[in-house]
Amino acid sequence: MTISEVENTSLIKKACSDPGAFAQLYLMHYDNVFHYCMRRLFNRHSAEDVASTVFFKVMHNLGSFDGTVIDFRSWLLRIATNAVNDHLRDAKRRTDVIHRVVTNTRTQSVFVIGCNEKLLEKKALLKQALLSLKPKYQTVITLRFFENMKLTEIAACLGKNPSTVRSWLSRATAKLRKKLDVAVNSGGSKL
Amino acid sequence: MNDNEKYIEEFVKDIPFDAPDQKHRDELKKQLISAFPKHRLEPTVHTVEVWRIIMKSKITKFAAAAAIIIVALIAFHFVGNPLGATVTFADVIEPILNARTVVLDLVVGSEETGLVVHDIIVGSKIRRTIPNMGIAIIDLDNARMLRLDPPEKSAVYINIQGPFQRWTKSYLGIVRDIVTDMENHPEWPVQELGQRWIDNQRAIGFFLSGPKIKLTIWADAETAAPIRIELQMGRSQTIIKNIEFDVPVDESLVSMDIPDGYTLHEKELDYTDFDEQDFIVVLQFWAEHVLGGNFPDNVSAEDILKVAPVLRQKIDQLNISDEEKMQIGMAMGRGSMFFRRLVGSGADWHYVGKGVEFGDANTAVFLYRPKDSDTYRVIYGDLSVKDSALKDLPK
């Protein structure tokens, strides 16, 4: 481990009993957790709700974390993944999410900086296609293409074998591509 | 990366997402801090050089004989601790050192896969129940064991003088020895691990380590009663849990008398002597009768404990006399003792039998260096044994 990693590992331990250290740890990771939730849920309010849930879970379970800072990101993303999947598991909520996506696809958020109409349309298509996949496929797509994690890192994060993750990723990318192709060719009306 | 992955990577490139909102981040931070668990607002880790103080103390000369004095010394040190933990190491080890009756579960190996043994300890006697292996009542003072086989209603006395007596002691006794022995090792610091939830109880932890020993004790943060003890000795891991101290125990459970309805085996067994040949019997029987001619993937104390019921079952199935079955069983018991002594001695040993077929005279399955020896003993797949210098060991 580097000196910085050692210091951060020490911070994690300290954060178990020191609110100030926990606040520092929280600020170091808030953006990453929010981004992950945002890319999974495509909705700011849902992402903020789930990010809140994630950090409360982290606070209550930090004592059980006994790894290093290198493992901490995986641990954090595993908690975030479970929280996002819990959020999506409710069928009604999932329907609502997709409904909001469909009815709100071209609304530009005030928090999105410097983007054009074409990218917003692509984003709308991606939202619809991705949210129609099973949560586990959404998870591996997000971890692979937005978090830029390697197969082994995703496997460690999800507690699965790399071969399982490879299989999920293969199916997920094939399904997503098929859906995106259809959507692109139909202008987004067939998903 | 295949075509689909390239396609998606290209598709998602540059797609914009909302940036985090500073207001939400700050608001959540406030909520988290205000909800921070109050019971955790305590120091997490500080090293206590208890033993250095003990060794400098004039009281030390009186302390050697009585563990209770160690407790008093530790208590003295902790009382003066400005960090003010309410539960001290002295409080935690007090029942370990002094309880007359203890009931506990012992997990040999990892929590998920280890063998669970149930012990009832009354003074120097132990009633040990091992799944599928029957009951052993051990009288440590008299170096004798009464082995009961409930399904067969049979009983046999076993002489456990010598090393077996030492190893048969309760694991709590081992913990007691380590804690007591710390007096002689000022270089073994006690570390407070802070608090965490263990088995739905708020627990405070203490850790100490010496050469090849790591001991962690988690105790109830309110009562100081130990609730979980993790002991790592070399490569062997043991967890003691579901612990109850000084509970009323029916003393007939540790009686060395033959229970009503049981038949006593006329010959007393003897585990006082064992050697490499006994261990070879274990390897041979394991490979020949359990694994169809292949040596096991791994051999550890935990593996031997786990396979023991299967070995016993296979012995019972042999078409030989009861006396011969007993001889094989005895040899395997002694073989286990040999292995345990080897592991406990800190000797350099390696099991390399994974994938080796029984009878393979060219491939080593086990090698070890006996104490005070310059050469290694190498056991091959045909169970031949050769001495070998370090440089000549099989790759």
Side-chain angles (χ1 to χ4, degrees):
Chain A
M1 285 196 291
T2 64
I3 292 173
S4 168
E5 285 168 347
V6 170
E7 285 172 353
N8 287 335
T9 301
S10 171
L11 178 66
I12 293 166
K13 285 181 183 165
K14 202 176 170 192
C16 291
S17 60
D18 179 346
F22 183 80
Q24 197 180 338
L25 191 67
Y26 160 78
L27 290 173
M28 283 170 63
H29 293 279
Y30 174 87
D31 286 3
N32 289 338
V33 170
F34 173 81
H35 281 137
Y36 176 74
C37 295
M38 191 66 210
R39 287 161 182 160
R40 287 290 312 274
L41 296 167
F42 294 90
N43 178 277
R44 161 169 294 281
H45 297 298
S46 298
E48 288 178 345
D49 281 351
V50 174
S52 301
T53 303
V54 169
F55 281 105
F56 273 98
K57 283 186 177 178
V58 167
M59 186 170 73
H60 288 295
N61 294 294
L62 195 57
S64 66
F65 175 77
D66 56 3
T68 66
V69 67
I70 299 163
D71 309 318
F72 188 69
R73 183 180 174 230
S74 285
W75 188 69
L76 203 56
L77 283 174
R78 185 189 288 203
I79 291 174
T81 297
N82 290 337
V84 167
N85 289 344
D86 284 347
H87 185 85
L88 289 172
R89 198 164 286 127
D90 184 325
K92 184 177 179 302
R93 185 177 290 157
R94 191 176 172 189
T95 306
D96 287 348
V97 169
I98 294 171
H99 177 71
R100 277 201 298 274
V101 164
V102 171
T103 57
N104 197 27
T105 49
R106 288 169 178 77
T107 303
Q108 183 174 339
S109 165
V110 294
F111 295 98
V112 176
I113 301 164
C115 61
N116 59 37
E117 187 68 20
K118 192 177 174 186
L119 281 176
L120 282 177
E121 283 179 10
K122 277 180 85 176
K123 182 182 176 185
L125 295 177
L126 178 68
K127 286 176 183 176
Q128 294 178 66
L130 198 55
L131 284 173
S132 67
L133 296 179
K134 289 180 181 176
K136 66 182 181 184
Y137 293 154
Q138 295 177 35
T139 303
V140 290
I141 293 277
T142 309
L143 293 176
R144 177 71 187 86
F145 296 103
F146 290 109
E147 299 299 326
N148 297 316
M149 291 170 81
K150 295 174 186 169
L151 269 180
T152 49
E153 291 173 326
I154 298 172
C157 172
L158 301 180
K160 301 288 180 188
N161 287 327
S163 57
T164 304
V165 172
R166 184 189 299 281
S167 162
W168 286 3
L169 189 63
S170 173
R171 285 180 209 156
T173 51
K175 284 174 186 289
L176 184 61
R177 182 179 183 175
K178 194 174 174 184
K179 285 175 183 288
L180 287 173
D181 278 343
V182 171
V184 168
N185 293 333
S186 65
S189 61
K190 290 182 183 176
L191 269 170
Chain B
M1 189 178 282
N2 63 29
D3 284 350
N4 290 336
E5 291 181 27
K6 284 178 189 165
Y7 175 90
I8 290 165
E9 189 176 62
E10 185 60 30
F11 193 94
V12 304
K13 196 169 73 178
D14 300 328
I15 286 182
F17 281 90
D18 288 12
D21 178 8
Q22 185 78 36
K23 282 182 190 168
H24 178 261
R25 184 169 52 198
D26 293 345
E27 182 57 35
L28 178 58
K29 181 182 158 191
K30 280 182 196 165
Q31 289 175 17
L32 287 163
I33 297 303
S34 66
F36 197 86
K38 299 292 181 288
H39 67 264
R40 291 221 214 115
L41 300 176
E42 290 173 352
T44 49
V45 177
H46 54 270
T47 300
V48 188
E49 293 183 283
V50 176
W51 313 111
R52 203 173 304 284
I53 290 168
I54 290 174
M55 295 303 283
K56 287 179 180 173
S57 167
K58 290 180 181 175
I59 301 172
T60 309
K61 58 187 174 185
F62 301 110
I68 190 66
I69 295 179
I70 298 172
V71 173
L73 283 167
I74 299 165
F76 175 77
H77 179 82
F78 270 86
V79 166
N81 183 351
L83 296 170
T86 52
V87 170
T88 68
F89 187 58
D91 298 330
V92 170
I93 63 172
E94 193 278 334
I96 295 173
L97 293 173
N98 297 317
R100 182 173 178 273
T101 65
V102 189
V103 177
L104 55 86
D105 285 333
L106 190 72
V107 184
V108 183
S110 70
E111 181 126 42
E112 295 75 23
T113 62
L115 182 81
V116 181
V117 173
H118 183 67
D119 270 9
I120 298 172
I121 304 165
V122 180
S124 61
K125 290 183 177 174
I126 308 164
R127 180 186 179 91
R128 178 164 294 166
T129 307
I130 306 174
N132 302 317
M133 290 290 285
I135 297 163
I137 299 166
I138 304 154
D139 181 347
L140 290 170
D141 283 349
N142 295 302
R144 227 166 165 227
M145 179 190 290
L146 173 61
R147 164 94 163 67
L148 301 175
D149 186 340
E152 298 289 328
K153 291 284 180 189
S154 66
V156 62
Y157 285 112
I158 303 171
N159 179 353
I160 57 168
Q161 285 182 343
F164 194 22
Q165 180 184 16
R166 196 166 63 248
W167 300 333
T168 310
K169 72 191 326 181
S170 80
Y171 275 80
L172 208 65
I174 296 172
V175 173
R176 191 176 291 148
D177 287 351
I178 293 169
V179 170
T180 307
D181 198 33
M182 286 165 56
E183 182 197 10
N184 301 317
H185 296 277
E187 72 280 13
W188 295 2
V190 180
Q191 223 176 45
E192 194 181 312
L193 299 175
Q195 298 191 9
R196 73 169 55 165
W197 288 90
I198 304 270
D199 298 334
N200 296 319
Q201 289 174 272
R202 191 161 61 86
I204 186 166
F206 295 90
F207 173 79
L208 62 100
S209 65
K212 298 184 178 176
I213 293 174
K214 289 179 180 171
L215 175 65
T216 306
I217 304 175
W218 291 99
D220 187 302
E222 301 296 329
T223 66
I227 54 179
R228 180 185 174 91
I229 300 170
E230 298 161 359
L231 177 62
Q232 179 95 37
M233 297 173 75
R235 295 181 228 178
S236 300
Q237 181 187 345
T238 309
I239 300 165
I240 301 172
K241 60 183 191 178
N242 301 328
I243 316 168
E244 295 177 277
F245 290 98
D246 282 325
V247 286
V249 170
D250 177 357
E251 304 230 355
S252 68
L253 291 173
V254 290
S255 167
M256 293 298 284
D257 296 334
I258 306 299
D260 289 344
Y262 277 73
T263 306
L264 177 64
H265 191 277
E266 60 187 21
K267 189 176 176 183
E268 182 159 322
L269 305 183
D270 195 326
Y271 276 129
T272 56
D273 194 21
F274 43 81
D275 59 28
E276 176 189 270
Q277 283 305 315
D278 296 317
F279 181 59
I280 288 175
V281 171
V282 176
L283 290 175
Q284 177 179 359
F285 202 86
W286 198 340
E288 259 195 314
H289 294 274
V290 178
L291 298 173
N294 291 302
F295 286 97
D297 287 351
N298 192 40
V299 169
S300 66
E302 182 185 349
D303 293 319
I304 290 178
L305 270 172
K306 279 184 182 171
V307 81
V310 184
L311 294 173
R312 183 188 166 203
Q313 190 183 32
K314 295 290 181 186
I315 293 171
D316 282 344
Q317 291 169 354
L318 293 175
N319 189 22
I320 55 177
S321 70
D322 286 349
E323 179 58 31
E324 287 169 323
K325 287 177 184 175
M326 183 65 79
Q327 291 301 326
I328 295 174
M330 283 290 296
M332 287 205 270
R334 291 193 301 266
S336 303
M337 293 299 109
F338 172 83
F339 181 70
R340 185 164 178 179
R341 181 174 65 179
L342 189 69
V343 172
S345 71
D348 186 26
W349 64 272
H350 303 272
Y351 177 76
V352 289
K354 183 178 180 180
V356 180
E357 288 187 10
F358 176 60
D360 183 344
N362 299 315
T363 311
V365 293
F366 192 86
L367 52 97
Y368 70 99
R369 192 170 72 173
K371 192 179 177 186
D372 301 326
S373 171
D374 293 331
T375 58
Y376 282 75
R377 299 281 291 167
V378 183
I379 302 172
Y380 287 85
D382 63 348
L383 304 179
S384 61
V385 185
K386 293 173 187 166
D387 289 309
S388 179
L390 178 62
K391 64 180 177 59
D392 299 324
L393 285 178
K395 300 296 178 193

